[in-house]
Amino acid sequence: MKKYLLSAMLVIAATIGAQAQFSLGVKGGVNYSQINSDNFHHSSVAGYQAGLFARFGGGFYVQPELYLSSTGGKFDANQNGTDYSAKVKFTNLNVPLLFGGSFGDKDLNFRIMAGPIYTYLMDKHQDFSNNFNAAFDDFGRYNNSTLGYQAGAGVDIGPITADLRYEGNLTKVDDNYGQRQNLWALSVGFKFF
């Protein structure tokens, strides 16, 4: 009896899996990121992102991704009449897991999505004014990994896909100054199937 039950469950799972929609593709785009800090005036920097995505499901879908990105921020401060400036650029490995809903047909499909993102810092480049390090010796001690969230909307036109997303951090990129990174990203992709 157990064999029949197990066999029936496997057949049902295979049937559901065969009917589920699956897409695999590449994506790339631009982002505008900034690192918020209470102690400094901050501004955005432009970056890039490029990688892979998979999409499972139809009306409700799950979309894991893996991509490289360049993010960062600029900082300015003035203390006692002295100006300080810094620019930070990160190269990251990003792994979002998005949950979404879609509506439309196969050739024109609109989507909304949200979910968590894990970011691993692979490389950083810091450019500080000469007096910056002397005044703020613990600035720039960035965490190697952070957790955040993404939310946005997208459209699929045939195999072409485009997304606009906002990303915020749940954890700080620098605990000493309470810095959190956020960004807007616009990407275009191509679904192979």
Side-chain angles (χ1 to χ4, degrees):
M1 184 67 160
K2 289 181 183 177
K3 291 180 185 177
Y4 294 119
L5 185 57
L6 181 60
S7 297
M9 289 173 52
L10 288 173
V11 168
I12 291 170
T15 303
I16 292 171
Q19 292 177 352
Q21 295 176 354
F22 172 73
S23 298
L24 181 67
V26 296
K27 62 179 272 183
V30 296
N31 63 52
Y32 296 95
S33 62
Q34 65 181 353
I35 301 173
N36 298 328
S37 176
D38 296 334
N39 303 7
F40 304 98
H41 174 263
H42 46 80
S43 57
S44 299
V45 297
Y48 67 87
Q49 61 183 40
L52 305 169
F53 71 91
R55 192 177 301 153
F56 303 91
F60 172 78
Y61 66 91
V62 177
Q63 183 169 312
E65 298 181 351
L66 178 68
Y67 60 88
L68 289 174
S69 71
S70 170
T71 61
K74 292 180 183 177
F75 308 97
D76 296 305
N78 185 305
Q79 287 187 345
N80 302 325
T82 304
D83 291 327
Y84 303 93
S85 64
K87 183 176 180 182
V88 179
K89 277 289 230 189
F90 302 127
T91 302
N92 306 304
L93 179 65
N94 300 297
V95 185
L97 179 60
L98 302 169
F99 301 92
S102 64
F103 49 95
D105 60 28
K106 184 177 180 181
D107 292 328
L108 182 60
N109 185 42
F110 298 94
R111 297 175 286 106
I112 55 171
M113 81 277 304
I117 180 170
Y118 170 76
T119 302
Y120 178 75
L121 175 63
M122 297 174 57
D123 188 39
K124 70 178 173 182
H125 175 74
Q126 301 177 141
D127 185 18
F128 297 154
S129 62
N130 290 334
N131 58 1
F132 197 95
N133 283 335
F136 307 100
D137 61 349
D138 58 349
F139 188 87
R141 295 188 180 155
Y142 294 105
N143 296 324
N144 286 336
S145 61
T146 58
L147 290 175
Y149 63 91
Q150 287 188 347
V155 63
D156 299 328
I157 303 171
I160 306 297
T161 182
D163 289 350
L164 176 64
R165 296 185 200 161
Y166 175 80
E167 180 180 320
N169 259 5
L170 299 172
T171 57
K172 297 174 184 169
V173 293
D174 183 345
D175 295 322
N176 295 328
Y177 288 86
Q179 295 176 306
R180 293 182 188 269
Q181 182 168 257
N182 58 32
L183 61 88
W184 284 96
L186 178 63
S187 63
V188 176
F190 183 82
K191 296 183 288 184
F192 296 118
F193 51 88

